[in-house]
């Protein structure tokens, strides 16, 4: 299994935007190095400037904020790497190896819970910008629909064929599942000051139970 840490993966793959100047490449590389070493919240723009051997004002001129600098690193990586990352997840949580749709959903939730916990600082920034930036949201949603939704639809078709899901359009089933499940990650890692005092498994059972009861109402 590949590393869950996005910054580690970026460092390993060196997937930085090729549209940047040599100076900007130096800034982005230094930012990734420091974010990985110290954490996003604990890294200052002055430290990034020092390591990349530029004036701090150069960073602000090119990127404006530390959030924009992070996005300049993360977004190109996600656009290029999302297909492979999605395939990895669905190989780890193989629908054909799950006893039922509830087991699949539970395994998927626990898998992504570990991922978002590992990348919670980045997740907070991306969620905030996702809400307020139409261009970023549209860009990322295009990749999500192409690279992730297709796997979910295949999984749903598999469980519908087994009689484990009602024969509803996949789009409708996804709307019953995704907003609620994703909102739990947002609450836990972007809004709450601390994680809930329950085990991951207990939380997974509660969330999956809620989703399955909602789906059962459509049978």
């Amino acid at each position: 299994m590949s590393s869950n840490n996005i910054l580690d993966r970026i460092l390993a793959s060196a997937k930085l935007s090729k549209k940047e100047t040599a100076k900007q490449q130096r800034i982005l590389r230094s930012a990734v190095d420091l974010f990985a070493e110290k954490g996003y919240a604990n890294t200052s723009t002055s430290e990034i400037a020092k390591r990349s051997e530029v004036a701090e004002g150069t960073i602000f001129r090119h990127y404006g904020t530390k959030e924009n600098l992070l996005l300049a690193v993360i977004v190109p990586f996600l656009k290029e790497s999302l297909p492979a990352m999605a395939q990895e997840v669905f190989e780890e949580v193989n629908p054909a190896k799950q006893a039922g749709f509830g087991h699949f959903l539970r395994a998927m939730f626990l898998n992504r819970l570990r991922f978002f916990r590992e990348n919670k600082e980045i997740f907070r920034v991306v969620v905030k910008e996702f809400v307020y930036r139409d261009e970023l949201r549209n860009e990322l949603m295009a990749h999500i629909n192409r690279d992730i939704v297709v796997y979910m639809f295949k999984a749903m078709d598999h469980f519908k064929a087994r009689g484990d899901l009602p024969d509803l359009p996949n789009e409708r089933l996804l709307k019953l599942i995704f907003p609620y499940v994703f909102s739990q990650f947002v609450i836990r890692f972007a809004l709450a000051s601390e994680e809930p005092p329950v085990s991951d498994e207990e939380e997974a059972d509660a969330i999956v139970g809620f989703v399955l009861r909602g789906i059962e109402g459509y049978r």
Side-chain angles (χ1 to χ4, degrees):
M1 181 178 67
S2 298
S3 170
N4 265 332
N5 189 292
I6 288 180
L7 294 173
D8 286 346
R9 294 184 68 141
I10 293 175
L11 286 171
S13 65
K15 285 188 173 71
L16 296 175
S17 173
K18 300 300 184 289
K19 297 185 297 183
E20 313 289 354
T21 65
K23 184 180 291 185
Q24 287 172 301
Q25 281 282 313
R26 214 161 60 241
I27 293 170
L28 293 175
R29 170 59 60 179
S30 298
V32 175
D33 287 341
L34 285 165
F35 292 158
E37 289 172 18
K38 303 181 61 175
Y40 171 79
N42 294 325
T43 300
S44 67
T45 52
S46 62
E47 290 173 304
I48 297 170
K50 182 177 180 180
R51 182 168 294 195
S52 55
E53 299 180 334
V54 301
E56 190 173 6
T58 301
I59 293 177
F60 292 127
R61 184 166 65 252
H62 284 299
Y63 300 103
T65 64
K66 190 170 74 166
E67 288 85 355
N68 286 342
L69 180 55
L70 177 64
L71 292 174
V73 171
I74 296 299
V75 173
F77 172 79
L78 288 178
K79 290 195 298 185
E80 187 169 348
S81 303
L82 201 56
M85 292 171 68
Q87 185 175 354
E88 284 176 16
V89 172
F90 280 88
E91 286 174 355
E92 292 171 15
V93 189
N94 189 336
K97 295 182 179 180
Q98 304 298 327
F101 182 71
H103 292 82
F104 166 76
L105 192 59
R106 184 179 189 275
M108 180 66 72
F109 175 82
L110 289 171
N111 181 287
R112 292 299 82 191
L113 185 64
R114 291 190 291 271
F115 174 80
F116 288 127
R117 180 180 287 127
E118 184 74 13
N119 298 283
K120 59 185 176 181
E121 289 184 328
I122 293 172
F123 183 63
R124 287 193 191 106
V125 174
V126 172
V127 165
K128 183 184 74 172
E129 301 300 328
F130 191 85
V131 170
Y132 290 109
R133 295 193 190 188
D134 292 341
E135 183 179 354
L136 175 65
R137 182 169 62 252
N138 293 336
E139 188 175 18
L140 289 181
M141 282 305 301
H143 288 274
I144 289 170
N145 287 330
R146 185 194 68 195
D147 300 319
I148 296 176
V149 171
V150 64
Y151 282 108
M152 285 300 299
F153 281 5
K154 288 179 181 178
M156 290 173 182
D157 288 339
H158 172 79
F159 289 111
K160 282 194 285 188
R162 288 172 48 176
D164 217 30
L165 278 175
D167 191 19
L168 294 172
N170 286 333
E171 291 84 356
R172 189 171 183 184
L173 284 169
L174 196 64
K175 286 181 180 179
L176 290 172
I177 299 165
F178 182 78
Y180 176 70
V181 174
F182 187 71
S183 71
Q184 302 309 302
F185 293 128
V186 173
I187 291 169
R188 184 167 187 157
F189 296 119
L191 300 179
S193 58
E194 57 185 28
E195 294 195 37
V198 296
S199 70
D200 293 348
E201 289 73 18
E202 288 175 304
E203 186 173 14
D205 289 339
I207 288 170
V208 171
F210 182 87
V211 170
L212 293 181
R213 287 191 294 273
I215 292 175
E216 280 300 313
Y218 286 85
R219 285 190 183 274

